[in-house]
Amino acid sequence: MEELIEESAQRAETAEPTAGDAVRKELAGLVADLLVLLAGTQPKRSIGVIAASKHTQFSLLGSIQKRAPRLKPQLYTSQSKGGVYRNLDLGRPGIVIVHRRSAKGLGFDTVVIPDTHEDAATDPTSAALRMSYYVMATRARRELHLGYEGQSEPPLLAQVNRGDLQRG
């Protein structure tokens, strides 16, 4: 299974690119730059990245490994049967990339949710969506970073009071 996951990630990298792929790759690069910066300025802290898809997880992993291989980011996927993507060392500082469904019960000094735009079509008043974001946001002990692609904020973020969320 682990080989299938790696093969899937490699296929995604070598497939014929579309305009959407270019935007996603650019976003992954920007998020990777943020993560490298955070890891460099906060070397003793844990940084959790909570992604909406396996594709985003592996895209970020690849981007971070290319930019700063010394960081040795960890990735967890429940679809791995063991080995590198199944076991996490949560006692060591650094970057840990998990799927939304795997975030509950974890805690990090800093949490980055890079793909809030994935929920743009979901009703922002939905109890399930709000509960999902509650779980993800409360994984952060010190800092929470919310990212999205596009020109406008996803509806759920747009509802957050300007004084409660630093934008920019």
Side-chain angles (χ1 to χ4, degrees):
M1 178 63 112
E2 194 168 299
E3 292 83 20
L4 290 175
I5 293 170
E6 289 181 47
E7 183 180 312
S8 173
Q10 289 172 350
R11 239 192 333 247
E13 289 179 6
T14 59
E16 193 66 34
T18 66
D21 291 336
V23 171
R24 280 187 286 282
K25 190 170 187 169
E26 181 181 346
L27 178 65
L30 292 171
V31 172
D33 288 342
L34 170 67
L35 293 168
V36 169
L37 177 67
L38 288 170
T41 58
Q42 305 168 4
K44 300 221 183 290
R45 292 192 182 169
S46 60
I47 302 165
V49 182
I50 304 174
S53 71
K54 184 172 60 174
H55 183 271
T56 299
Q57 285 181 276
F58 279 97
S59 179
L60 284 171
L61 179 67
S63 293
I64 295 165
Q65 288 173 331
K66 287 177 188 170
R67 285 167 169 72
R70 73 187 183 291
L71 293 179
K72 296 184 179 27
Q74 301 180 76
L75 184 141
Y76 173 84
T77 178
S78 61
Q79 295 176 348
S80 178
K81 295 293 182 202
V84 69
Y85 300 128
R86 187 65 179 188
N87 299 312
L88 294 174
D89 180 1
L90 296 173
R92 80 169 166 97
I95 300 169
V96 175
I97 305 168
V98 299
H99 192 278
R100 290 179 178 188
R101 290 185 302 259
S102 301
K104 191 171 183 179
L106 300 176
F108 304 98
D109 296 313
T110 300
V111 167
V112 177
I113 304 170
D115 47 12
T116 61
H117 58 278
E118 295 287 339
D119 301 310
T122 306
D123 176 7
T125 64
S126 158
L129 182 65
R130 288 174 177 262
M131 182 58 72
S132 175
Y133 274 84
Y134 173 81
V135 169
M136 291 186 288
T138 57
R139 304 306 92 207
R141 289 187 283 264
R142 295 175 184 245
E143 293 179 33
L144 175 63
H145 298 265
L146 304 168
Y148 59 90
E149 67 181 43
Q151 296 297 332
S152 60
E153 292 180 328
L156 183 67
L157 296 185
Q159 290 184 346
V160 178
N161 186 337
R162 292 270 176 214
D164 295 333
L165 184 64
Q166 180 180 348
R167 291 164 161 88

